[in-house]
Coordinates of all heavy atoms in Angstrom, one line a residue:
M166 N -24.6 27.4 7.9 CA -25.4 28.4 7.2 C -26.7 27.6 6.7 O -27.8 28.2 6.8 CB -24.6 28.9 6.0 CG -25.3 30.0 5.2 SD -25.1 31.5 6.2 CE -25.0 32.6 5.0
E167 N -26.5 26.4 6.3 CA -27.6 25.6 5.8 C -28.5 25.3 7.0 O -29.8 25.3 6.9 CB -27.2 24.3 5.2 CG -27.4 24.3 3.7 CD -26.9 23.0 3.1 OE1 -27.6 22.0 3.4 OE2 -25.9 23.0 2.4
R168 N -28.0 25.0 8.2 CA -28.8 24.7 9.4 C -29.6 25.9 9.8 O -30.8 25.8 10.1 CB -27.9 24.3 10.5 CG -28.1 22.8 10.9 CD -27.4 22.5 12.1 NE -26.0 22.2 11.8 CZ -25.1 22.2 12.7 NH1 -25.3 22.4 13.9 NH2 -23.8 22.0 12.3
A169 N -29.0 27.1 9.7 CA -29.7 28.4 10.0 C -30.9 28.6 9.0 O -32.0 29.0 9.4 CB -28.8 29.5 10.0
R170 N -30.6 28.3 7.7 CA -31.7 28.5 6.7 C -32.8 27.5 6.9 O -34.0 27.9 6.9 CB -31.1 28.3 5.3 CG -32.1 28.5 4.2 CD -31.4 28.2 2.8 NE -30.9 26.9 2.8 CZ -31.4 25.9 2.1 NH1 -32.5 26.1 1.4 NH2 -30.9 24.7 2.1
D171 N -32.5 26.2 7.2 CA -33.5 25.2 7.4 C -34.3 25.6 8.7 O -35.5 25.4 8.7 CB -32.8 23.8 7.6 CG -32.3 23.3 6.3 OD1 -32.7 23.8 5.2 OD2 -31.5 22.4 6.3
S172 N -33.6 26.1 9.7 CA -34.3 26.4 10.9 C -35.3 27.6 10.7 O -36.4 27.6 11.2 CB -33.3 26.8 12.0 OG -33.9 27.3 13.2
A173 N -34.8 28.6 9.9 CA -35.7 29.7 9.5 C -36.9 29.3 8.7 O -38.0 29.7 8.9 CB -34.9 30.8 8.8
I174 N -36.7 28.4 7.8 CA -37.8 27.8 7.0 C -38.8 27.0 7.9 O -40.0 27.2 7.8 CB -37.3 26.9 5.8 CG1 -36.6 27.8 4.8 CG2 -38.4 26.1 5.2 CD1 -35.9 27.0 3.7
Y175 N -38.2 26.2 8.7 CA -39.1 25.5 9.7 C -39.9 26.4 10.6 O -41.1 26.2 10.7 CB -38.2 24.5 10.5 CG -38.9 23.6 11.5 CD1 -39.7 22.6 11.0 CD2 -38.9 23.9 12.8 CE1 -40.4 21.7 11.9 CE2 -39.6 23.1 13.7 CZ -40.3 22.1 13.3 OH -41.0 21.2 14.2
S176 N -39.3 27.4 11.1 CA -40.0 28.4 12.0 C -41.1 29.1 11.2 O -42.1 29.3 11.7 CB -39.0 29.4 12.6 OG -38.1 28.7 13.4
T177 N -40.7 29.5 10.0 CA -41.7 30.2 9.1 C -42.9 29.3 8.8 O -44.1 29.7 8.9 CB -41.0 30.7 7.8 OG1 -39.9 31.5 8.1 CG2 -42.0 31.4 7.0
I178 N -42.7 28.0 8.5 CA -43.8 27.1 8.2 C -44.7 26.9 9.5 O -45.9 26.9 9.3 CB -43.2 25.8 7.7 CG1 -42.6 25.9 6.3 CG2 -44.3 24.7 7.7 CD1 -41.9 24.7 5.8
L179 N -44.0 26.7 10.6 CA -44.8 26.5 11.9 C -45.6 27.8 12.2 O -46.8 27.7 12.6 CB -43.9 26.1 13.0 CG -43.4 24.7 13.1 CD1 -42.5 24.5 14.3 CD2 -44.5 23.7 13.0
T180 N -45.0 28.9 12.1 CA -45.7 30.2 12.3 C -46.9 30.4 11.4 O -48.0 30.8 11.8 CB -44.8 31.4 12.3 OG1 -43.7 31.2 13.1 CG2 -45.4 32.7 12.6
T181 N -46.7 30.1 10.1 CA -47.7 30.2 9.1 C -48.9 29.2 9.4 O -50.0 29.7 9.4 CB -47.2 29.9 7.7 OG1 -46.1 30.8 7.4 CG2 -48.3 30.1 6.7
I182 N -48.6 28.0 9.8 CA -49.6 27.1 10.1 C -50.4 27.5 11.3 O -51.6 27.5 11.4 CB -49.0 25.6 10.3 CG1 -48.6 25.1 8.9 CG2 -50.1 24.7 10.9 CD1 -47.8 23.8 9.0
F183 N -49.7 28.0 12.4 CA -50.3 28.5 13.6 C -51.2 29.7 13.3 O -52.4 29.7 13.8 CB -49.3 28.9 14.6 CG -49.8 29.5 15.8 CD1 -50.4 28.7 16.8 CD2 -49.7 30.9 16.1 CE1 -50.9 29.3 18.0 CE2 -50.2 31.4 17.2 CZ -50.9 30.6 18.2
M184 N -50.8 30.6 12.5 CA -51.6 31.8 12.1 C -52.8 31.4 11.3 O -53.9 31.9 11.5 CB -50.8 32.8 11.4 CG -49.6 33.4 12.2 SD -50.2 34.1 13.7 CE -51.1 35.5 13.1
I185 N -52.7 30.4 10.4 CA -53.9 29.9 9.7 C -54.9 29.3 10.6 O -56.1 29.5 10.5 CB -53.4 28.9 8.6 CG1 -52.7 29.7 7.5 CG2 -54.6 28.1 8.0 CD1 -52.0 28.8 6.5
L186 N -54.4 28.5 11.6 CA -55.4 27.8 12.5 C -56.0 28.9 13.4 O -57.2 28.8 13.7 CB -54.6 26.8 13.4 CG -54.1 25.6 12.7 CD1 -53.3 24.7 13.6 CD2 -55.3 24.8 12.1
V187 N -55.3 29.9 13.8 CA -55.8 31.0 14.6 C -56.9 31.7 13.8 O -58.0 32.0 14.3 CB -54.8 31.9 15.2 CG1 -55.4 33.2 15.7 CG2 -53.9 31.2 16.2
G188 N -56.6 32.0 12.6 CA -57.6 32.6 11.7 C -58.8 31.9 11.5 O -59.9 32.4 11.5
I189 N -58.7 30.5 11.3 CA -59.9 29.7 11.2 C -60.7 29.7 12.4 O -62.0 29.9 12.4 CB -59.4 28.3 10.8 CG1 -58.9 28.2 9.4 CG2 -60.6 27.3 11.0 CD1 -58.2 26.9 9.0
V190 N -60.1 29.6 13.6 CA -60.9 29.6 14.9 C -61.5 30.9 15.1 O -62.7 31.0 15.4 CB -59.9 29.2 16.1 CG1 -60.6 29.5 17.4 CG2 -59.4 27.8 16.0
V191 N -60.8 32.0 14.8 CA -61.5 33.4 15.0 C -62.6 33.6 14.0 O -63.7 34.1 14.4 CB -60.4 34.5 14.8 CG1 -61.0 35.8 14.7 CG2 -59.4 34.4 16.0
S192 N -62.5 33.1 12.8 CA -63.5 33.3 11.8 C -64.8 32.4 12.2 O -65.9 32.9 12.0 CB -63.0 33.0 10.4 OG -62.7 31.6 10.3
I193 N -64.5 31.3 12.8 CA -65.7 30.4 13.2 C -66.4 31.1 14.4 O -67.6 31.2 14.4 CB -65.2 29.0 13.6 CG1 -64.8 28.3 12.3 CG2 -66.3 28.3 14.4 CD1 -64.2 26.9 12.6
I194 N -65.6 31.6 15.3 CA -66.3 32.3 16.5 C -67.0 33.5 16.0 O -68.2 33.7 16.4 CB -65.2 32.7 17.5 CG1 -64.6 31.4 18.1 CG2 -65.7 33.7 18.5 CD1 -63.4 31.7 19.0
I195 N -66.5 34.3 15.2 CA -67.2 35.5 14.6 C -68.4 35.1 13.8 O -69.5 35.7 14.0 CB -66.2 36.4 13.8 CG1 -65.2 37.1 14.7 CG2 -67.0 37.5 13.1 CD1 -64.1 37.8 14.0
G196 N -68.3 34.1 13.0 CA -69.4 33.6 12.3 C -70.6 33.2 13.1 O -71.8 33.5 12.8
V197 N -70.3 32.4 14.2 CA -71.3 31.9 15.1 C -71.9 33.1 15.8 O -73.2 33.2 16.0 CB -70.8 30.9 16.0 CG1 -71.7 30.6 17.2 CG2 -70.4 29.6 15.3
R198 N -71.1 34.0 16.2 CA -71.6 35.2 17.0 C -72.5 36.0 16.1 O -73.5 36.7 16.6 CB -70.4 36.0 17.5 CG -70.9 37.3 18.2 CD -69.8 37.8 19.1 NE -70.1 39.1 19.6 CZ -70.9 39.5 20.5 NH1 -71.7 38.5 21.0 NH2 -71.1 40.7 20.9
L199 N -72.3 36.1 14.8 CA -73.2 36.8 13.9 C -74.4 36.0 13.5 O -75.6 36.6 13.3 CB -72.4 37.3 12.7 CG -71.4 38.4 13.0 CD1 -70.6 38.7 11.7 CD2 -72.1 39.6 13.5
T200 N -74.2 34.7 13.2 CA -75.4 34.0 12.6 C -76.5 33.6 13.6 O -77.6 33.6 13.2 CB -74.9 32.7 11.8 OG1 -74.2 31.9 12.7 CG2 -74.1 33.2 10.6
L201 N -76.1 33.3 14.8 CA -77.1 32.8 15.8 C -78.1 33.9 16.1 O -79.3 33.6 16.0 CB -76.4 32.4 17.1 CG -75.7 31.0 17.0 CD1 -75.1 30.7 18.4 CD2 -76.7 29.9 16.7
P202 N -77.7 35.2 16.4 CA -78.8 36.2 16.6 C -79.6 36.5 15.3 O -80.8 36.8 15.4 CB -77.9 37.4 16.9 CG -76.6 37.0 17.3 CD -76.4 35.6 16.6
I203 N -79.0 36.4 14.1 CA -79.7 36.6 12.9 C -80.8 35.5 12.8 O -82.0 35.8 12.4 CB -78.8 36.6 11.7 CG1 -78.0 37.9 11.8 CG2 -79.5 36.6 10.4 CD1 -76.8 38.0 10.8
H204 N -80.5 34.3 13.0 CA -81.5 33.2 13.0 C -82.6 33.4 14.0 O -83.7 33.2 13.7 CB -80.8 31.8 13.2 CG -80.0 31.4 12.0 ND1 -80.5 31.1 10.8 CD2 -78.6 31.1 11.9 CE1 -79.6 30.7 10.0 NE2 -78.4 30.7 10.6
R205 N -82.2 33.9 15.2 CA -83.2 34.2 16.2 C -84.1 35.4 15.7 O -85.3 35.3 15.9 CB -82.6 34.6 17.5 CG -82.0 33.3 18.2 CD -81.4 33.6 19.5 NE -82.2 34.3 20.4 CZ -81.7 35.4 21.1 NH1 -80.5 35.7 21.1 NH2 -82.5 36.1 21.9
L206 N -83.5 36.3 15.1 CA -84.3 37.5 14.5 C -85.3 36.9 13.4 O -86.5 37.4 13.4 CB -83.4 38.5 13.9 CG -82.6 39.4 14.9 CD1 -81.6 40.2 14.1 CD2 -83.6 40.4 15.6
I207 N -84.8 36.0 12.6 CA -85.7 35.5 11.6 C -86.9 34.7 12.2 O -88.0 34.9 11.8 CB -84.9 34.6 10.6 CG1 -84.0 35.4 9.8 CG2 -85.8 33.7 9.8 CD1 -82.9 34.6 9.0
N208 N -86.6 33.9 13.2 CA -87.6 33.2 13.9 C -88.6 34.0 14.6 O -89.8 33.8 14.4 CB -87.0 32.1 14.9 CG -86.2 31.1 14.2 OD1 -86.4 30.8 13.0 ND2 -85.3 30.5 14.9
V209 N -88.2 35.1 15.2 CA -89.1 36.0 15.9 C -90.0 36.7 14.9 O -91.1 36.9 15.1 CB -88.4 36.9 16.9 CG1 -89.3 38.0 17.4 CG2 -87.8 36.1 18.1
S210 N -89.4 37.2 13.8 CA -90.1 37.9 12.9 C -91.2 37.0 12.2 O -92.3 37.5 11.9 CB -89.2 38.6 11.8 OG -88.5 37.6 11.1
Q211 N -90.9 35.8 12.0 CA -91.8 34.8 11.4 C -93.0 34.6 12.4 O -94.1 34.6 12.1 CB -91.2 33.5 11.1 CG -90.3 33.5 9.9 CD -89.6 32.3 9.6 OE1 -89.4 31.4 10.5 NE2 -89.0 32.1 8.4
A212 N -92.6 34.5 13.7 CA -93.7 34.3 14.7 C -94.6 35.6 14.8 O -95.8 35.5 14.9 CB -93.0 34.1 16.1
I213 N -94.0 36.8 14.7 CA -94.8 38.0 14.7 C -95.7 38.0 13.5 O -96.9 38.4 13.6 CB -93.8 39.2 14.7 CG1 -93.2 39.4 16.2 CG2 -94.6 40.5 14.5 CD1 -92.1 40.4 16.2
S214 N -95.2 37.6 12.3 CA -96.0 37.6 11.2 C -97.2 36.6 11.3 O -98.2 36.8 10.6 CB -95.2 37.3 9.9 OG -94.8 36.0 9.9
E215 N -97.0 35.6 12.1 CA -98.1 34.6 12.4 C -99.1 35.1 13.5 O -100.0 34.4 13.8 CB -97.5 33.3 12.7 CG -96.8 32.6 11.6 CD -95.9 31.4 12.0 OE1 -95.9 31.1 13.2 OE2 -95.2 30.8 11.2
G216 N -98.8 36.3 14.0 CA -99.7 36.8 15.1 C -99.3 36.4 16.5 O -100.0 36.6 17.4
K217 N -98.1 35.9 16.7 CA -97.6 35.6 18.0 C -96.7 36.7 18.5 O -95.6 36.8 18.2 CB -96.8 34.3 18.0 CG -97.6 33.1 17.5 CD -96.7 31.8 17.3 CE -97.5 30.7 16.6 NZ -96.6 29.7 16.2
F218 N -97.3 37.6 19.3 CA -96.6 38.8 19.7 C -95.9 38.7 21.1 O -95.5 39.7 21.6 CB -97.6 40.0 19.7 CG -98.4 40.1 18.4 CD1 -99.8 40.2 18.4 CD2 -97.7 40.3 17.2 CE1 -100.4 40.3 17.2 CE2 -98.4 40.4 16.1 CZ -99.8 40.4 16.1
N219 N -95.9 37.6 21.6 CA -95.3 37.5 23.0 C -93.8 37.1 23.0 O -93.3 36.9 24.1 CB -96.1 36.5 23.8 CG -96.2 35.1 23.2 OD1 -95.7 34.9 22.0 ND2 -96.7 34.1 23.8
H220 N -93.2 37.2 21.9 CA -91.7 36.8 21.9 C -90.9 38.0 22.2 O -91.2 39.2 21.8 CB -91.3 36.3 20.5 CG -91.9 35.0 20.1 ND1 -91.3 33.9 20.5 CD2 -93.0 34.7 19.4 CE1 -92.0 32.8 20.0 NE2 -93.1 33.3 19.3
R221 N -89.9 37.8 23.1 CA -89.0 38.9 23.5 C -87.5 38.3 23.5 O -87.3 37.2 23.7 CB -89.3 39.4 24.9 CG -90.7 40.0 25.1 CD -90.9 41.3 24.3 NE -92.2 41.9 24.5 CZ -93.2 41.6 23.7 NH1 -93.1 40.8 22.8 NH2 -94.4 42.2 24.0
F222 N -86.6 39.3 23.2 CA -85.2 38.9 23.3 C -84.7 39.2 24.7 O -84.8 40.3 25.2 CB -84.4 39.8 22.3 CG -84.8 39.4 20.8 CD1 -85.6 40.2 20.1 CD2 -84.2 38.3 20.2 CE1 -85.9 39.9 18.8 CE2 -84.5 37.9 19.0 CZ -85.4 38.7 18.2
N223 N -84.1 38.2 25.3 CA -83.5 38.5 26.6 C -82.1 39.0 26.5 O -81.6 39.7 27.4 CB -83.4 37.1 27.4 CG -84.8 36.5 27.6 OD1 -85.7 37.3 27.8 ND2 -84.9 35.2 27.6
E224 N -81.4 38.8 25.4 CA -80.0 39.2 25.3 C -80.0 40.7 24.8 O -80.8 41.2 24.0 CB -79.4 38.4 24.1 CG -78.0 38.8 23.8 CD -77.4 38.0 22.7 OE1 -78.1 37.1 22.2 OE2 -76.2 38.3 22.3
R225 N -79.1 41.5 25.4 CA -78.9 42.9 25.1 C -77.6 43.1 24.5 O -76.6 42.6 25.0 CB -79.1 43.8 26.3 CG -80.5 43.7 26.9 CD -81.5 44.3 26.0 NE -82.8 44.1 26.5 CZ -83.9 43.7 25.8 NH1 -83.7 43.6 24.5 NH2 -85.0 43.6 26.2
R226 N -77.6 43.7 23.3 CA -76.3 43.9 22.6 C -76.2 45.3 22.2 O -77.2 46.1 22.1 CB -76.3 43.1 21.3 CG -76.4 41.6 21.5 CD -76.6 40.8 20.2 NE -75.5 41.2 19.2 CZ -74.7 40.2 18.6 NH1 -74.9 39.0 18.9 NH2 -73.8 40.6 17.8
N227 N -75.0 45.8 22.1 CA -74.7 47.2 21.8 C -74.2 47.4 20.3 O -73.3 48.2 20.0 CB -73.6 47.8 22.7 CG -74.1 47.9 24.1 OD1 -75.3 48.1 24.4 ND2 -73.3 47.7 25.1
D228 N -74.8 46.6 19.4 CA -74.5 46.7 18.0 C -75.8 46.8 17.2 O -76.9 47.0 17.7 CB -73.6 45.6 17.6 CG -74.2 44.2 17.8 OD1 -75.4 44.2 18.2 OD2 -73.6 43.2 17.5
E229 N -75.7 46.8 15.8 CA -76.8 46.9 15.0 C -77.8 45.8 15.2 O -79.0 46.0 15.1 CB -76.4 46.9 13.5 CG -75.6 48.1 13.1 CD -74.1 48.1 13.5 OE1 -73.6 47.0 14.0 OE2 -73.4 49.1 13.4
I230 N -77.3 44.6 15.5 CA -78.2 43.4 15.7 C -79.0 43.7 17.0 O -80.2 43.4 17.1 CB -77.4 42.1 15.8 CG1 -76.9 41.8 14.4 CG2 -78.3 41.0 16.3 CD1 -76.0 40.6 14.4
G231 N -78.4 44.3 18.0 CA -79.1 44.6 19.2 C -80.2 45.7 19.0 O -81.2 45.6 19.6
S232 N -79.9 46.7 18.1 CA -80.9 47.7 17.8 C -82.1 47.0 17.1 O -83.2 47.4 17.4 CB -80.2 48.7 16.9 OG -79.2 49.4 17.5
L233 N -81.8 46.1 16.2 CA -82.9 45.4 15.6 C -83.7 44.6 16.5 O -84.9 44.5 16.5 CB -82.3 44.6 14.5 CG -83.3 43.9 13.5 CD1 -84.3 45.0 12.9 CD2 -82.6 43.2 12.4
M234 N -83.0 43.9 17.5 CA -83.7 43.1 18.5 C -84.6 44.0 19.3 O -85.8 43.7 19.6 CB -82.7 42.4 19.4 CG -82.0 41.2 18.8 SD -80.8 40.6 20.0 CE -80.4 39.1 19.2
S235 N -84.1 45.2 19.7 CA -84.9 46.1 20.5 C -86.1 46.6 19.8 O -87.2 46.7 20.3 CB -84.0 47.3 21.0 OG -84.7 48.2 21.7
A236 N -85.9 46.9 18.5 CA -87.0 47.4 17.6 C -88.1 46.3 17.5 O -89.3 46.7 17.5 CB -86.5 47.8 16.2
L237 N -87.7 45.1 17.3 CA -88.7 44.0 17.2 C -89.4 43.8 18.5 O -90.6 43.5 18.5 CB -88.0 42.7 16.8 CG -87.8 42.5 15.3 CD1 -87.0 41.2 15.0 CD2 -89.1 42.5 14.6
D238 N -88.7 43.9 19.7 CA -89.4 43.9 21.0 C -90.5 45.0 21.1 O -91.6 44.7 21.5 CB -88.4 44.0 22.1 CG -87.6 42.7 22.4 OD1 -88.1 41.7 21.9 OD2 -86.6 42.8 23.1
T239 N -90.1 46.2 20.7 CA -91.0 47.3 20.8 C -92.2 47.1 19.9 O -93.3 47.3 20.3 CB -90.3 48.6 20.5 OG1 -89.1 48.8 21.4 CG2 -91.2 49.8 20.6
M240 N -91.9 46.7 18.7 CA -93.0 46.5 17.7 C -94.0 45.4 18.2 O -95.2 45.5 18.1 CB -92.4 46.1 16.3 CG -93.5 45.9 15.3 SD -92.8 45.4 13.7 CE -92.4 43.7 14.1
S241 N -93.4 44.2 18.7 CA -94.3 43.2 19.1 C -95.1 43.5 20.3 O -96.3 43.1 20.5 CB -93.5 41.9 19.3 OG -92.6 42.0 20.3
A242 N -94.5 44.3 21.2 CA -95.3 44.8 22.4 C -96.4 45.7 22.0 O -97.5 45.6 22.5 CB -94.3 45.5 23.4
G243 N -96.1 46.6 21.0 CA -97.2 47.5 20.5 C -98.3 46.7 19.8 O -99.5 47.0 20.0
L244 N -97.9 45.7 19.0 CA -98.9 44.9 18.3 C -99.8 44.1 19.3 O -100.9 43.9 19.2 CB -98.3 44.0 17.3 CG -97.7 44.7 16.1 CD1 -96.8 43.7 15.3 CD2 -98.8 45.2 15.2
L245 N -99.1 43.6 20.4 CA -99.8 42.9 21.4 C -100.9 43.8 22.2 O -102.0 43.4 22.3 CB -98.8 42.3 22.5 CG -99.5 41.5 23.6 CD1 -100.2 40.3 23.1 CD2 -98.4 41.1 24.6
R246 N -100.4 45.0 22.5 CA -101.4 46.0 23.1 C -102.5 46.3 22.1 O -103.7 46.4 22.6 CB -100.6 47.3 23.4 CG -100.1 47.3 24.8 CD -99.5 48.7 25.2 NE -98.0 48.5 25.1 CZ -97.3 49.2 24.3 NH1 -97.8 50.2 23.5 NH2 -96.0 49.0 24.2
K247 N -102.2 46.5 20.9 CA -103.3 46.8 19.9 C -104.2 45.7 19.8 O -105.5 45.9 19.8 CB -102.6 47.0 18.5 CG -103.6 47.3 17.4 CD -102.9 47.5 16.1 CE -103.8 47.7 15.0 NZ -104.2 46.4 14.3
E248 N -103.7 44.4 19.8 CA -104.6 43.3 19.7 C -105.5 43.2 21.0 O -106.7 42.9 20.9 CB -103.8 42.0 19.6 CG -104.6 40.7 19.5 CD -103.7 39.5 19.4 OE1 -102.9 39.3 20.3 OE2 -103.8 38.8 18.4
Q249 N -104.9 43.5 22.1 CA -105.7 43.5 23.4 C -106.8 44.5 23.4 O -108.0 44.3 23.7 CB -104.8 43.6 24.6 CG -103.9 42.5 24.8 CD -102.8 42.8 25.9 OE1 -102.5 43.9 26.2 NE2 -102.2 41.7 26.3
V250 N -106.5 45.7 22.9 CA -107.5 46.8 22.8 C -108.6 46.4 21.8 O -109.8 46.6 22.1 CB -106.8 48.1 22.3 CG1 -107.9 49.1 21.9 CG2 -105.9 48.6 23.4
E251 N -108.2 45.8 20.7 CA -109.3 45.3 19.7 C -110.2 44.3 20.3 O -111.4 44.3 20.1 CB -108.6 44.8 18.5 CG -108.0 45.9 17.6 CD -107.3 45.3 16.3 OE1 -107.1 44.1 16.2 OE2 -106.8 46.2 15.6
K252 N -109.6 43.3 21.1 CA -110.5 42.3 21.7 C -111.4 42.9 22.7 O -112.5 42.5 22.8 CB -109.5 41.3 22.4 CG -108.9 40.3 21.5 CD -108.1 39.3 22.2 CE -107.4 38.3 21.3 NZ -106.5 37.3 21.9
T253 N -110.9 43.9 23.5 CA -111.7 44.5 24.5 C -112.9 45.3 23.8 O -114.0 45.2 24.2 CB -110.9 45.5 25.3 OG1 -109.8 44.8 26.0 CG2 -111.7 46.2 26.4
F254 N -112.6 46.1 22.8 CA -113.6 46.8 22.1 C -114.6 45.9 21.4 O -115.8 46.2 21.3 CB -113.0 47.8 21.1 CG -112.6 49.1 21.7 CD1 -111.3 49.6 21.5 CD2 -113.4 49.9 22.5 CE1 -110.9 50.8 22.0 CE2 -113.0 51.1 23.0 CZ -111.8 51.5 22.8
S255 N -114.1 44.8 20.9 CA -115.1 43.9 20.1 C -116.1 43.3 21.1 O -117.2 42.8 20.6 CB -114.2 42.8 19.5 OG -113.7 41.8 20.5
R256 N -115.9 43.3 22.4 CA -116.9 42.9 23.3 C -118.1 43.8 23.5 O -119.2 43.5 23.7 CB -116.3 42.6 24.7 CG -115.3 41.5 24.8 CD -114.8 41.4 26.2 NE -113.6 40.4 26.2 CZ -112.8 40.3 27.1 NH1 -112.8 41.1 28.2 NH2 -111.8 39.4 27.1
Y257 N -117.8 45.1 23.3 CA -118.8 46.1 23.5 C -119.2 46.8 22.2 O -120.2 47.5 22.3 CB -118.2 47.2 24.4 CG -117.7 46.6 25.8 CD1 -116.3 46.5 26.0 CD2 -118.6 46.1 26.7 CE1 -115.9 45.9 27.2 CE2 -118.2 45.6 27.9 CZ -116.8 45.4 28.2 OH -116.4 44.9 29.3
V258 N -118.6 46.7 21.2 CA -118.9 47.4 19.9 C -119.2 46.3 18.9 O -118.4 45.3 18.7 CB -117.8 48.3 19.5 CG1 -118.1 49.0 18.2 CG2 -117.4 49.3 20.6
S259 N -120.3 46.6 18.1 CA -120.6 45.6 17.0 C -119.5 45.7 15.9 O -118.9 46.8 15.7 CB -122.0 45.9 16.4 OG -121.9 47.1 15.7
P260 N -119.4 44.7 15.1 CA -118.4 44.7 14.0 C -118.6 45.8 13.0 O -117.7 46.2 12.3 CB -118.5 43.3 13.4 CG -119.1 42.5 14.4 CD -120.0 43.4 15.3
K261 N -119.9 46.2 12.8 CA -120.2 47.2 11.9 C -119.6 48.6 12.4 O -119.3 49.4 11.7 CB -121.7 47.3 11.7 CG -122.2 46.1 11.0 CD -123.7 46.3 10.8 CE -124.3 45.0 10.1 NZ -125.7 45.1 9.9

């Protein structure tokens, strides 16, 4: 009876340790999957605020981060077109 109890405790301890390790690995993977695109979004938004409108995201995602990436791509493309139009008009129209 004691051997069966010890075996059950040993199995429970090993299973618990295994599940904790799996939980740690999964949380690290999810954390990296979420933080890397957010850091890229921050870098691109800073570049756009500095007037560098040629940044684009190559990765396509089907979540909220992907929607934000797409919106930033669209915005930066529009700002680039606006800047090009302003440069073209500034050649032919006086600043006044």
Side-chain angles (χ1 to χ4, degrees):
M166 188 75 146
E167 252 183 67
R168 249 189 280 162
R170 181 183 58 108
D171 290 343
S172 177
I174 290 173
Y175 181 73
S176 296
T177 303
I178 290 172
L179 285 181
T180 303
T181 303
I182 291 172
F183 176 74
M184 294 306 291
I185 288 171
L186 291 176
V187 168
I189 290 171
V190 169
V191 168
S192 64
I193 288 172
I194 291 171
I195 290 173
V197 168
R198 179 156 166 75
L199 288 176
T200 58
L201 285 179
I203 291 172
H204 287 295
R205 288 183 46 227
L206 285 168
I207 290 169
N208 292 338
V209 169
S210 64
Q211 287 173 344
I213 289 172
S214 71
E215 294 169 359
K217 301 173 186 169
F218 306 126
N219 56 353
H220 292 278
R221 299 291 182 271
F222 292 100
N223 296 328
E224 179 183 356
R225 296 294 171 222
R226 298 171 57 124
N227 293 326
D228 58 2
E229 292 81 7
I230 293 174
S232 297
L233 189 53
M234 287 176 169
S235 177
L237 275 176
D238 280 347
T239 302
M240 182 184 72
S241 62
L244 289 170
L245 182 62
R246 269 187 259 118
K247 178 183 178 267
E248 183 181 59
Q249 291 169 343
V250 168
E251 286 176 354
K252 282 182 182 177
T253 302
F254 276 129
S255 70
R256 293 179 189 162
Y257 302 108
V258 179
S259 70
K261 293 181 181 181

